[in-house]
Amino acid sequence: SIAKDKFIPSLKKLSSVIQLQGSKAILQIYHGGRMAHSNLNLGRQPVAPSAIKANRPWAELPKELSTTDIELLIHQFGQAVRRAIQAGFDGVEIHGANTYLLQQFFSPQTNRRTDDWGGSFEKRLRFPLRIIEEAHKMAEEYADDDFIIGYRLSPEEIETPGIRLEDTFQFIDAIIDAKVDYIHLSLKHYYQPSIVGIGNYHVNIPKEIYNYIDNRVPLINVGNIITAEDANKALEYSDLVAIGRQLIVDPKWIQKHQLNREKDINKSIRLNQQSKLVIPDELWDVITSSPGWFPIEK
């Protein structure tokens, strides 16, 4: 967590280890909004732009945020950025994807407000843009000039009404104007087709976005990158690639590619490998109880 100053010392250890051999340490910050759960949040009711329950079997009815609540959240996001700077991170990534709070404000599916924080397209943009603005304020006050502020987004929603690619293009224009340093997609696959309508299956979403950004900021592509060939294909329409699950499956993934040992790369987790892979108990429990999330060899 980065919600309190007491976490700064442990976060500093984390940033230092990441930077030890030259990597940049960038901390992803987010708020779950209605995707949170009271069982994981000291019994507190989840909050959201509007009191609309998510279409998930475990979801709870969220409390609609007041104007005062919203301003407090913006301040708290800023304080998270300040702590990241004081913990030695080189940047932050504002997580506005995966139907979390920032996406909930932008989406017409989850934001049914009629005040200054919802309704029109411009008003639904307001909360994410204020978070970016607050991040810049903290960076100007506490960080060096090269502090990085990135933004992660989900380009489409399957629901109606919901975010469509044309909305995302306008959103991208707005956050580039707000001076984000890069954009990171959240997708299941690095050449994912549109999830909206049968007729759009041929549309390569990362490619469409890469072409639209047109080198204004770097784009990070992501999703099911398992081999070096996958990474190279993803780089045909992005500037960087993000690899998550595969580095948990095989922490030596990069080194094996560098040494041309691709045949030695592990593509699945064995149930007797938790200790070897240094996977914490809670994460291990989720991995082994979530069918289809990780490839598991039983």
Side-chain angles (χ1 to χ4, degrees):
S1 175
I2 197 165
K4 296 180 180 179
D5 284 358
K6 70 178 182 179
F7 298 119
I8 291 175
S10 58
L11 288 167
K12 190 164 184 62
K13 291 180 182 178
L14 178 62
S15 68
S16 298
V17 170
I18 293 171
Q19 295 160 341
L20 198 57
Q21 297 184 54
S23 294
K24 296 291 185 184
I26 297 178
L27 189 69
Q28 191 180 74
I29 57 175
Y30 90 112
H31 189 298
R34 73 175 191 169
M35 302 306 288
H37 198 283
S38 60
N39 286 347
L40 301 173
N41 198 24
L42 303 177
R44 291 175 292 198
Q45 183 183 8
V47 296
S50 301
I52 302 172
K53 185 178 176 181
N55 186 21
R56 303 285 196 280
W58 47 262
E60 299 175 350
L61 181 68
K63 173 188 173 185
E64 181 172 307
L65 289 158
S66 69
T67 300
T68 301
D69 293 333
I70 292 170
E71 292 290 351
L72 177 61
L73 275 170
I74 292 168
H75 171 75
Q76 290 172 334
F77 265 94
Q79 291 305 298
V81 175
R82 189 258 305 164
R83 293 183 189 107
I85 295 166
Q86 292 177 340
F89 285 87
D90 299 293
V92 294
E93 179 174 288
I94 300 167
H95 196 338
N98 295 14
T99 71
Y100 296 147
L101 184 65
L102 277 82
Q103 183 176 334
Q104 291 165 29
F105 266 94
F106 179 57
S107 170
Q109 173 65 213
T110 46
N111 187 346
R112 307 294 177 90
R113 302 177 72 100
T114 57
D115 61 2
D116 290 340
W117 300 97
S120 68
F121 185 91
E122 290 73 21
K123 288 180 178 179
R124 286 188 281 110
L125 267 174
R126 189 179 177 197
F127 185 75
L129 292 180
R130 282 286 304 279
I131 297 296
I132 296 170
E133 179 186 354
E134 193 72 11
H136 277 292
K137 285 181 182 178
M138 294 298 104
E140 289 170 9
E141 184 172 352
Y142 295 100
D144 295 332
D145 291 342
D146 57 357
F147 188 76
I148 297 164
I149 298 173
Y151 197 97
R152 193 171 196 198
L153 60 85
S154 294
E156 291 183 312
E157 292 177 333
I158 197 168
E159 296 88 357
T160 301
I163 296 169
R164 300 295 182 259
L165 187 57
E166 292 73 20
D167 301 318
T168 293
F169 286 158
Q170 293 183 64
F171 187 87
I172 286 170
D173 289 338
I175 64 174
I176 290 176
D177 287 345
K179 307 298 182 186
V180 297
D181 293 302
Y182 69 85
I183 292 171
H184 181 184
L185 299 179
S186 182
L187 299 166
K188 290 184 177 179
H189 206 287
Y190 62 86
Y191 58 77
Q192 181 168 302
S194 175
I195 62 173
V196 181
I198 297 174
N200 291 330
Y201 67 90
H202 62 283
V203 176
N204 181 325
I205 292 297
K207 185 176 182 180
E208 293 285 324
I209 290 174
Y210 183 62
N211 290 338
Y212 185 80
I213 290 175
D214 193 25
N215 297 312
R216 287 180 286 168
V217 294
L219 178 69
I220 301 177
N221 199 357
V222 68
N224 208 34
I225 295 171
I226 298 171
T227 66
E229 183 181 9
D230 291 329
N232 285 325
K233 286 181 178 178
L235 284 169
E236 291 176 9
Y237 30 84
S238 66
D239 304 286
L240 298 160
V241 296
I243 302 165
R245 278 174 297 180
Q246 185 55 36
L247 285 177
I248 295 175
V249 172
D250 192 336
K252 298 292 184 182
W253 187 88
I254 292 172
Q255 291 89 335
K256 289 178 180 178
H257 283 305
Q258 289 176 324
L259 297 171
N260 294 316
R261 291 172 48 201
E262 294 219 4
K263 291 182 180 179
D264 297 332
I265 290 172
N266 299 320
K267 296 181 180 178
S268 61
I269 289 177
R270 296 186 185 92
L271 292 179
N272 64 353
Q273 286 186 310
Q274 181 188 358
S275 178
K276 180 181 178 182
L277 295 173
V278 200
I279 297 175
D281 289 342
E282 290 187 6
L283 177 57
W284 182 257
D285 290 343
V286 176
I287 287 173
T288 55
S289 63
S290 304
W293 186 32
F294 271 73
I296 296 176
E297 188 177 319
K298 297 183 178 179

